Amino acid sequence: MNAVTIKDVAQAAGVSSATASRVLSGHSATSAESREKVEAAAKNLGFVPNAQARSLRSTKTDTIALLISDVRNPYFSDLAHAVEQQALEAGMMTFIGNANEDSEQQDKFLAAMLSRRVDGLIVVPQGLDEDSEHPSEMMQRIVSSGTPLVFVDRTLPQLNIPSISASSATALNEAIGELKALGHQNIAFLGGPAHASTARERHSAFDAALEANGLTTEKSLHFAGDFRAASGADGAHWVLRHQLEPTAVIIADAPMAIGALTVWREAGIRVGADLSVIAFDEVDAMLMHHPPIATISHDLHSMGRAAVTALQSVMADKEPEPQEFISQFTPRASLAQASVTPGA
Amino acid sequence: MNAVTIKDVAQAAGVSSATASRVLSGHSATSAESREKVEAAAKNLGFVPNAQARSLRSTKTDTIALLISDVRNPYFSDLAHAVEQQALEAGMMTFIGNANEDSEQQDKFLAAMLSRRVDGLIVVPQGLDEDSEHPSEMMQRIVSSGTPLVFVDRTLPQLNIPSISASSATALNEAIGELKALGHQNIAFLGGPAHASTARERHSAFDAALEANGLTTEKSLHFAGDFRAASGADGAHWVLRHQLEPTAVIIADAPMAIGALTVWREAGIRVGADLSVIAFDEVDAMLMHHPPIATISHDLHSMGRAAVTALQSVMADKEPEPQEFISQFTPRASLAQASVTPGA
DNA sequence: TGCTCACGTGTAATCGATTCCATGGAATCG
DNA sequence: CGATTCCATGGAATCGATTACACGTGAGCA
């Protein structure tokens, strides 16, 4: 139906298509007269430029792609929102893709974006399933295609790609310090999947914080989840059955925390009395919980904006300055004196 | 960097670009020999077809767009996920756009999609701010552009567009019946913004359910929120101060419910004792709450799939069969005998 | 006055694929 | 065996914009 092209506009305005193009893209010099005529004609005919044709010739699409690992995780949807807003301000559309924590879907999306010749890519990289030496073949192709690329949240250390990430060291130090002051000795950690660099970072920062606070690190107190609610629930059962009877738990993301807290509620565990809980990611549900849950949070809005800015640097052939955000610890009533151990 | 075109592939394979194209798109008949040669050459050179060029000529993009009103609302991110998965199965990419409950952003996104010539649009329409006679000008242009379009979740009654929506009448009837059986008389409703058809539907179904159960509808017990957490919090305060001292509340979506429940927790109201609560949208946080919150939920996965299917019908110039999903009521421990009224 | 320069404009090439059309050779049929 | 059909293929047009290049005109300068 929309058969109105720039030629139609040009004809209606009585100029050539070159002039019409110049007016509509506002680049070269044009006379006030033809500018007026072309604009009137375009409006009149309801001209909608064909983005395909435009970017075929001009080799830019004004589109970037954002690949996240799970749209339904509020952490990533917040990030996506921040990226999208910032990109919009810079006049670019954002393709949001969903890897579903699955590197096959990731590759599919990346292939589609490559084929669409997006101007740049912001990726929360999926790790490598087993073969941790080589990032996925598709990721290699992206890199060798020369498409501007930055990583956000997670990174792949094998590749030398600008990354925007967060450091939880300071926050975990504070958190562990607080727990120790409350008398906790056995602190469990419900972590994320090892293929995510954030999960590894949080885990090692946890160990470092224990040591820095003079507590012993205990390998058996680490549970490997997958950042989803179901694994948080599994972790919650695991905590209850653990022979060291941990009195405090730190959980690596919000969905896992919600899963775990649901199990503890059902089991009659009193969080903030029997068990102290700290969760990564500040989401509204943590404040709804009774008692409210202490959190370690990232400034996702800033991270999203920083990722776009870094990408713009790469697109302009500049070296983006590396940036690391510091997470913040917020103590709340979910922290209590270590006293009774949770019954099974 | 990626200067490898189909001509390069053709040359490397020793055939013409026409043959190469035929092999790679798998349409017309090609000999086994050239098929083999072309495929080898393409793989060898790392050929990535240029989607712009392809769709410029073939006038299809294998891309649909989904416009939702808030990515950070789990309701919509679930819907987006369902749509995306279903579209992927049908070989189409999905552009997810975010209206932010704002019709200016909606229009911006729609314009971009129109310009990109997406094959179809699935839209959760924003209402009209004041001028409820005319849907936004951009929406009119979409319609007159002939781009296949379906509405999902919400609808715009002024336009005759296929819509996939949910009916909460039955579920609300059950819910109100249950509340009445528990002795509740004054039931408050924290609703959504009037510009959303779902908010209107839920509100009128609420009134109808009251009447059907022989309770009187009371206008002053309706609070107009905006589907976000902050307005839920406002609504919660409003409930506490209400002179009719409602003993039960129904909340129109999950973010508002979380906002409201946070306020009530802070105020020391015992949900499931002092106050009975039912929330729309089944999200994990509702089960985490102590006590778990009764919900009225939609099958978003099916709705998302149905939307894609309906869109495919429209794209094939067929009339999609209209479909309405029935929401489901799940009673939980947040419902209690009406007894004490909540103190202020 | 003559020359250069800048500016607005039109013509035509171009981006990278798909696809219409013509062609030559093989296969099939009477 | 000659005619017809079918199939694989190459040449060239095409999609709708941008843009390199050329041209004419009027201003500025010596």
Side-chain angles (χ1 to χ4, degrees):
Chain A
M1 288 294 123
N2 206 311
V4 41
T5 75
I6 200 168
K7 278 187 189 164
D8 301 323
V9 174
Q11 193 167 14
V15 299
S16 75
S17 62
T19 301
S21 168
R22 282 187 272 255
V23 168
L24 293 170
S25 52
H27 280 317
S28 307
T30 44
S31 72
E33 192 194 2
S34 45
R35 220 175 308 144
E36 211 168 301
K37 283 191 298 184
V38 170
E39 270 158 13
K43 187 158 190 179
N44 227 15
L45 299 173
F47 172 65
V48 179
N50 184 318
Q52 264 94 37
R54 183 207 296 272
S55 50
L56 176 58
R57 179 66 224 246
S58 63
T59 65
K60 51 197 284 280
T61 54
D62 292 325
T63 304
I64 63 173
L66 169 69
L67 179 68
I68 58 185
S69 36
D70 182 4
V71 234
R72 289 174 300 176
N73 184 332
Y75 182 84
F76 292 117
S77 58
D78 276 7
L79 182 66
H81 183 247
V83 165
E84 192 186 29
Q85 290 302 114
Q86 182 70 14
L88 204 63
E89 278 178 35
M92 303 182 297
M93 287 294 307
T94 308
F95 246 121
I96 299 177
N98 199 185
N100 267 317
E101 299 277 2
D102 170 42
S103 57
E104 196 181 330
Q105 269 198 50
Q106 158 179 297
D107 288 359
K108 213 162 177 172
F109 179 76
L110 291 178
M113 293 304 106
L114 216 47
S115 160
R116 277 175 180 70
R117 302 290 192 270
V118 292
D119 293 343
L121 278 162
I122 300 178
V123 173
V124 177
Q126 293 313 109
L128 341 116
D129 298 313
E130 44 246 81
D131 177 6
S132 68
E133 288 311 304
H134 303 293
S136 88
E137 193 213 342
M138 182 52 69
M139 193 63 84
Q140 301 275 24
R141 288 178 65 170
I142 298 277
V143 173
S144 68
S145 80
T147 307
L149 171 67
V150 303
F151 287 152
V152 67
D153 185 57
R154 306 181 187 171
T155 186
L156 293 181
Q158 301 89 347
L159 296 171
N160 186 27
I161 299 292
S163 301
I164 306 295
S165 55
S167 161
S168 55
T170 321
L172 272 168
N173 237 328
E174 281 179 56
I176 300 287
E178 178 91 14
L179 288 176
K180 189 189 179 189
L182 289 166
H184 296 274
Q185 294 288 328
N186 291 331
I187 305 173
F189 187 75
L190 303 187
H195 67 74
S197 66
T198 42
R200 296 195 301 273
E201 191 268 342
R202 288 170 194 188
H203 186 201
S204 64
F206 172 75
D207 281 351
L210 285 178
E211 285 189 26
N213 280 279
L215 294 170
T216 54
T217 65
E218 170 58 66
K219 232 177 174 174
S220 83
L221 281 170
H222 175 255
F223 176 87
D226 66 0
F227 280 151
R228 300 189 205 195
S231 78
D234 293 344
H237 288 299
W238 169 90
V239 164
L240 297 184
R241 285 193 305 260
H242 202 287
Q243 60 178 13
L244 291 180
E245 298 182 347
T247 55
V249 182
I250 297 184
I251 309 173
D253 86 336
M256 282 179 71
I258 290 175
L261 289 166
T262 303
V263 166
W264 290 325
R265 175 186 60 68
E266 284 167 355
I269 305 295
R270 291 172 307 152
V271 167
D274 305 333
L275 189 65
S276 291
V277 174
I278 299 173
F280 273 81
D281 302 355
E282 175 92 1
V283 301
D284 289 342
M286 295 297 124
L287 295 175
M288 176 192 82
H289 189 270
H290 175 77
I293 306 295
T295 57
I296 293 176
S297 58
H298 298 165
D299 184 354
L300 287 168
H301 197 252
S302 301
M303 281 178 67
R305 292 170 65 97
V308 175
T309 308
L311 183 61
Q312 288 180 298
S313 294
V314 177
M315 291 196 275
D317 255 329
K318 281 183 289 190
E319 192 80 10
E321 41 197 286
Q323 222 174 334
E324 196 177 51
F325 287 81
I326 305 298
S327 359
Q328 196 194 338
F329 172 56
T330 309
R332 294 213 177 86
S334 64
L335 306 181
Q337 204 74 34
S339 48
V340 226
T341 55
Chain B
M1 289 292 120
N2 207 310
V4 40
T5 74
I6 199 169
K7 277 187 191 164
D8 302 325
V9 174
Q11 194 167 14
V15 298
S16 76
S17 61
T19 302
S21 168
R22 282 187 272 254
V23 168
L24 293 169
S25 52
H27 279 317
S28 307
T30 44
S31 71
E33 191 193 1
S34 44
R35 221 175 307 144
E36 211 169 300
K37 282 191 299 182
V38 169
E39 269 157 14
K43 186 159 191 177
N44 227 17
L45 299 173
F47 172 66
V48 180
N50 185 318
Q52 264 94 37
R54 184 205 297 270
S55 51
L56 176 58
R57 180 65 227 245
S58 62
T59 65
K60 52 197 281 283
T61 54
D62 291 325
T63 304
I64 63 172
L66 169 69
L67 180 68
I68 57 185
S69 34
D70 182 4
V71 233
R72 290 175 300 178
N73 185 331
Y75 182 83
F76 291 118
S77 58
D78 276 7
L79 182 65
H81 183 248
V83 166
E84 193 184 29
Q85 290 303 115
Q86 181 72 12
L88 205 62
E89 277 176 36
M92 305 183 295
M93 288 291 309
T94 308
F95 246 121
I96 300 175
N98 199 186
N100 267 316
E101 298 277 2
D102 170 42
S103 55
E104 198 181 329
Q105 270 198 48
Q106 159 179 297
D107 287 0
K108 213 162 178 173
F109 179 77
L110 292 178
M113 293 304 106
L114 217 47
S115 162
R116 277 173 179 71
R117 302 289 193 272
V118 292
D119 293 344
L121 279 162
I122 300 178
V123 173
V124 178
Q126 294 313 108
L128 343 114
D129 300 311
E130 45 245 80
D131 177 6
S132 67
E133 287 311 303
H134 305 293
S136 88
E137 193 213 341
M138 183 54 68
M139 194 63 85
Q140 301 275 22
R141 287 177 66 171
I142 297 276
V143 173
S144 67
S145 81
T147 307
L149 170 67
V150 304
F151 288 152
V152 66
D153 186 56
R154 306 181 188 172
T155 186
L156 293 181
Q158 301 88 350
L159 296 172
N160 186 27
I161 300 292
S163 302
I164 306 296
S165 56
S167 162
S168 55
T170 320
L172 272 167
N173 238 328
E174 281 179 54
I176 300 286
E178 179 91 16
L179 289 176
K180 189 188 178 190
L182 289 166
H184 295 274
Q185 294 288 327
N186 291 330
I187 305 173
F189 187 76
L190 303 187
H195 67 74
S197 65
T198 41
R200 296 195 300 273
E201 191 268 342
R202 288 170 194 187
H203 187 200
S204 63
F206 171 76
D207 282 351
L210 285 179
E211 285 189 27
N213 281 278
L215 294 169
T216 53
T217 66
E218 170 59 63
K219 231 177 173 173
S220 83
L221 281 171
H222 174 256
F223 176 88
D226 66 0
F227 280 151
R228 300 188 204 195
S231 78
D234 293 344
H237 288 298
W238 169 90
V239 165
L240 298 184
R241 286 191 306 261
H242 202 287
Q243 60 178 12
L244 290 180
E245 298 181 345
T247 55
V249 181
I250 297 184
I251 309 174
D253 85 338
M256 282 179 72
I258 290 175
L261 289 165
T262 304
V263 167
W264 289 326
R265 175 186 59 67
E266 284 166 356
I269 304 296
R270 293 173 305 153
V271 166
D274 304 332
L275 188 65
S276 292
V277 174
I278 299 173
F280 272 82
D281 300 355
E282 174 93 1
V283 301
D284 288 342
M286 294 298 124
L287 295 175
M288 176 192 82
H289 189 273
H290 175 77
I293 306 295
T295 57
I296 293 176
S297 58
H298 297 166
D299 184 353
L300 287 168
H301 197 254
S302 301
M303 280 178 68
R305 294 172 64 96
V308 174
T309 307
L311 183 60
Q312 287 180 298
S313 294
V314 177
M315 291 197 278
D317 254 330
K318 281 181 288 188
E319 191 82 10
E321 41 197 284
Q323 221 174 334
E324 195 177 50
F325 287 81
I326 304 299
S327 353
Q328 196 193 336
F329 172 56
T330 310
R332 294 211 178 87
S334 64
L335 305 181
Q337 204 73 33
S339 48
V340 225
T341 55

